[in-house]
Amino acid sequence: MAKTTLSQAQAALEAGKWSLAASLFEMVYQTTQTLALNLQLVTALKADQKYTLASTYAAEFEADYLATAERFNLYLAVLLASHQFIKARLITEACRQTPANWLAEADQQITTAEQVAEQTMQQTLTTTMRQFYHLSDQPVAAQAERLAAAQHLTYAKYLTAAKFLLVDPFLHQLSRVEVLYTLRGLGTTDAVQFLWFDQTEQTVVPAELPVIGSDRISQQLQREIQQQAGQVDATLAAGLQAELPLQLMYLYPTPAKIVTDAKIWINLLIATQRGAIPRHLTVAGQRMAENQVKIREFNENLV
């Protein structure tokens, strides 16, 4: 059945019956998710002008799309056609870390697409930017929608709004970190002010920031989980591994300022998961315990 449907999809694609081809490829893809099928599906959706859906499917094999010029250009084309300018810049910047030789043309395509949008979509961009500016007006659970909508802003508009959001005291810390991390992914070299976890402002250059979890203290925390729980309680270790990335997001980009002792930090986490009350804490340990409580309070505001 799948082979017959695939043959029909390929025949429809060759015959220029884009909508039929896309529908048939999608049916096959639901049962077999391979890169080859993904490429055919995205190609058919692009031809059928279903650009947003095409980009969603391409994202499932993003690393593969960024590996060759042909795939990258297909991905970039559907992103630009659906006015996802920030995502287009993010994948281009990601390729800059590789020996890709097609990026100059990609940069020009993005710049041209943004210029056209500024002329033809001015009202839409202004509305989206205004909503992005007022991100903290929304409940935390609803902020993800506006963060996603901001992907359709041009870089200049995104950066202008982002600089304001990074110091908005009413914005949830995870949303603030997400905006900062997006600027990092965009390779932003402007120095920006960032309201950090402890409500003090830091001056940072996003392009110079590390990947979340790659710094020294984050690596130490990972090792401590394995040493303290990995060999004796697989369920506990899995719970800690699930919780740690969220904690590191809250503390980004300088977790070492809060986690002054990785061993004690994990001990405190284990005690919390087991419902125990840590005793005989040092001053540093008490401070870390208080910050873990603060993170849990932030988490309660997510729902």
Side-chain angles (χ1 to χ4, degrees):
M1 178 65 179
K3 287 184 178 180
T4 302
T5 306
L6 179 58
S7 297
Q8 292 171 341
Q10 291 169 338
L13 187 62
E14 291 172 8
K17 297 178 181 178
W18 315 127
S19 183
L20 176 61
S23 178
L24 292 171
F25 275 126
E26 200 163 13
M27 287 175 60
V28 179
Y29 189 74
Q30 299 312 314
T31 58
T32 309
Q33 290 86 40
T34 65
L35 174 60
L37 270 175
N38 185 284
L39 282 165
Q40 290 176 306
L41 173 57
V42 171
T43 300
L45 287 168
K46 175 178 178 285
D48 197 30
Q49 299 184 6
K50 293 181 179 175
Y51 303 119
T52 301
L53 186 56
S55 69
T56 300
Y57 278 118
E60 294 181 5
F61 283 86
E62 186 163 280
D64 295 288
Y65 274 86
L66 304 192
T68 70
E70 183 179 5
R71 291 178 206 149
F72 173 87
N73 287 329
L74 174 59
Y75 193 11
L76 181 64
V78 295
L79 287 172
L80 293 181
S82 53
H83 308 122
Q84 297 181 65
F85 304 117
I86 297 302
K87 181 61 177 178
R89 286 182 176 275
L90 286 171
I91 68 166
T92 303
E93 193 61 32
C95 284
R96 234 180 281 285
Q97 314 306 319
T98 69
N101 58 5
W102 56 81
L103 296 183
E105 184 179 346
D107 290 335
Q108 186 55 55
Q109 287 182 44
I110 295 171
T111 299
T112 301
E114 287 188 338
Q115 289 171 345
V116 171
E118 291 282 8
Q119 295 169 1
T120 61
M121 300 169 52
Q122 189 172 22
Q123 185 174 349
T124 299
L125 288 171
T126 300
T127 299
T128 302
M129 185 180 181
R130 186 185 303 118
Q131 291 175 340
F132 190 38
Y133 255 116
H134 295 285
L135 189 61
S136 61
D137 292 350
Q138 297 293 305
V140 177
Q143 289 177 13
E145 185 177 336
R146 289 196 177 183
L147 284 166
Q151 295 276 310
H152 295 271
L153 290 172
T154 59
Y155 176 68
K157 280 184 163 52
Y158 187 95
L159 181 59
T160 298
K163 287 181 176 180
F164 168 76
L165 290 170
L166 291 179
V167 292
D168 180 355
F170 302 106
L171 189 61
H172 194 276
Q173 190 64 25
L174 287 187
S175 295
R176 200 156 38 229
V177 169
E178 183 169 342
V179 173
L180 178 65
Y181 207 63
T182 297
L183 293 183
R184 177 198 170 277
L186 292 167
T188 301
T189 54
D190 292 16
V192 298
Q193 295 300 114
F194 175 64
L195 192 60
W196 191 53
F197 173 77
D198 67 354
Q199 297 302 294
T200 61
E201 283 194 18
Q202 297 182 358
T203 301
V204 297
V205 177
E208 298 175 358
L209 296 177
V211 173
I212 291 178
S214 67
D215 57 280
R216 177 186 57 81
I217 197 67
S218 296
Q219 296 298 309
Q220 286 181 5
L221 289 167
Q222 292 284 0
R223 287 194 293 272
E224 283 296 330
I225 289 175
Q226 290 307 310
Q227 290 174 9
Q228 296 191 45
Q231 304 301 318
V232 293
D233 191 333
T235 301
L236 175 62
L240 296 172
Q241 292 284 8
E243 186 173 359
L244 184 60
L246 188 60
Q247 289 192 327
L248 294 176
M249 277 192 71
Y250 278 115
L251 304 181
Y252 188 78
T254 49
K257 286 179 125 181
I258 296 294
V259 185
T260 52
D261 187 307
K263 186 180 183 66
I264 294 176
W265 185 270
I266 298 303
N267 277 334
L268 290 168
L269 269 187
I270 291 173
T272 300
Q273 290 213 2
R274 289 176 169 169
I277 300 174
R279 301 184 184 279
H280 310 299
L281 291 175
T282 62
V283 173
Q286 183 61 41
R287 191 174 297 119
M288 283 188 281
E290 291 168 357
N291 280 313
Q292 287 193 8
V293 170
K294 185 176 178 181
I295 289 174
R296 288 194 290 275
E297 289 173 349
F298 273 136
N299 283 339
E300 290 172 1
N301 291 329
L302 287 173
V303 294

